[in-house]
Amino acid sequence: MASSSSSSSGTASPCGACRFLRRKCTHDCIFAPYFGSEQGPVKFAAIHKVFGASNVSKLLLQIPPHDRPEAVATIAYEAQARIQDPVYGCVAHIFTLQQQVAFLQAQLMEAKAHLAQNAMNSHNNIENIFESAQIMMNMQENTKQKGVFF
Amino acid sequence: MASSSSSSSGTASPCGACRFLRRKCTHDCIFAPYFGSEQGPVKFAAIHKVFGASNVSKLLLQIPPHDRPEAVATIAYEAQARIQDPVYGCVAHIFTLQQQVAFLQAQLMEAKAHLAQNAMNSHNNIENIFESAQIMMNMQENTKQKGVFF
């Protein structure tokens, strides 16, 4: 590991994570690509408080580099959610979405039941129309046979 | 903090967290009520790996005792999800639920559009029935005026 202080951006300033941790930022710093020098410290603070820098570092090292941006984004999201809601964290979001799914499923079931009922009513209406038409034709036929034309 | 080794259950055996951490379990151990001696170590292992014992301890201490069981349950869930899916963790579940919500909303919108169309068709059908009935009545009236009864 090189001892020179440099983030992935090639500048001499430490990355946001190392800035927060007040440590030297090496050229192969695992956090540097995801935590800029300016906004990074704030973003990293939540992650460090909830997961710990060491745990996140180990986690990122076991993930292929192309998957790390997504991992950092989801870890940052979870950390922020846990700080905002220490009891439920982002699981509160899962509960809300599960309730939304259940509500929508109930609404959809109701709408489908109405559609099925409508289809039955429509069938009956068509039968009524055919019945009316049949009566009309019978009346016309009856009238013709009796010699009345109109 | 008492130095005697005892979990919340009152036995001399350490709680699952302290057993995993190979440390003495004190009578006021923050983990003891939520990590039994038998199943606790496995449950705690995931939490320790993802969040770290120290971070979870600090988190639980800032939460009122009556909220801690829920907090432990959601932390255990997040930890397990992150071990199963290191890139997305439980956020994968959120993505899936969001997609399910979007799909159900689209289906519901479609069903409602069909219902609206059916309502319009039903109105037209009723008008057709009234029209047929009107024609029939006119025919009957016409026939009666010409002296033909049936």
Side-chain angles (χ1 to χ4, degrees), chain A residues 68-122:
Chain A
R68 289 178 193 165
E70 291 282 30
V72 168
T74 58
I75 288 166
Y77 167 75
E78 277 188 63
Q80 201 55 51
R82 183 62 63 177
I83 285 169
Q84 283 171 1
D85 183 346
V87 179
Y88 293 98
C90 72
V91 181
H93 197 173
I94 291 175
F95 288 157
T96 304
L97 284 164
Q98 283 175 334
Q99 285 173 347
Q100 204 177 345
V101 165
F103 177 72
L104 286 167
Q105 280 173 333
Q107 278 206 312
L108 187 61
M109 202 177 284
E110 198 180 333
K112 282 184 174 176
H114 280 161
L115 278 170
Q117 186 61 49
N118 283 356
M120 194 174 285
N121 291 347
S122 174

Side-chain angles (χ1 to χ4, degrees), chain B residues 134-147:
Chain B
Q134 191 62 50
I135 291 168
M136 280 169 62
M137 283 188 293
N138 290 345
M139 284 170 71
Q140 279 180 326
E141 191 60 36
N142 203 353
T143 310
K144 276 178 194 171
Q145 283 172 1
K146 291 181 178 172

Side-chain angles (χ1 to χ4, degrees), chain A residues 50-52 55 63 70-71 74 78 82 87-88 90 94 107-108 115 118 136 139-140 146 148-150, chain B residues 51-52 55 70-71 74 78 82 86-88 90 94 107-108 115 118 135-136 139-140 146 148-150:
Chain A
V50 174
F51 292 95
N55 286 336
I63 295 172
E70 291 282 30
T74 58
E78 277 188 63
R82 183 62 63 177
V87 179
Y88 293 98
C90 72
I94 291 175
Q107 278 206 312
L108 187 61
L115 278 170
N118 283 356
M136 280 170 62
M139 283 170 72
Q140 279 181 323
K146 290 180 178 174
V148 180
F149 299 95
F150 50 90
Chain B
F51 292 94
N55 286 336
E70 292 281 31
T74 58
E78 277 188 63
R82 183 61 64 177
V87 178
Y88 292 99
C90 72
I94 291 175
Q107 278 206 310
L108 187 60
L115 278 171
N118 282 356
I135 291 168
M136 280 169 62
M139 284 170 71
Q140 279 180 326
K146 291 181 178 172
V148 181
F149 299 95
F150 47 90

Side-chain angles (χ1 to χ4, degrees), chain B residues 72-94:
Chain B
V72 169
T74 58
I75 288 166
Y77 168 75
E78 277 188 63
Q80 200 56 51
R82 183 61 64 177
I83 284 170
Q84 283 171 0
D85 183 345
V87 178
Y88 292 99
C90 72
V91 181
H93 197 175
I94 291 175

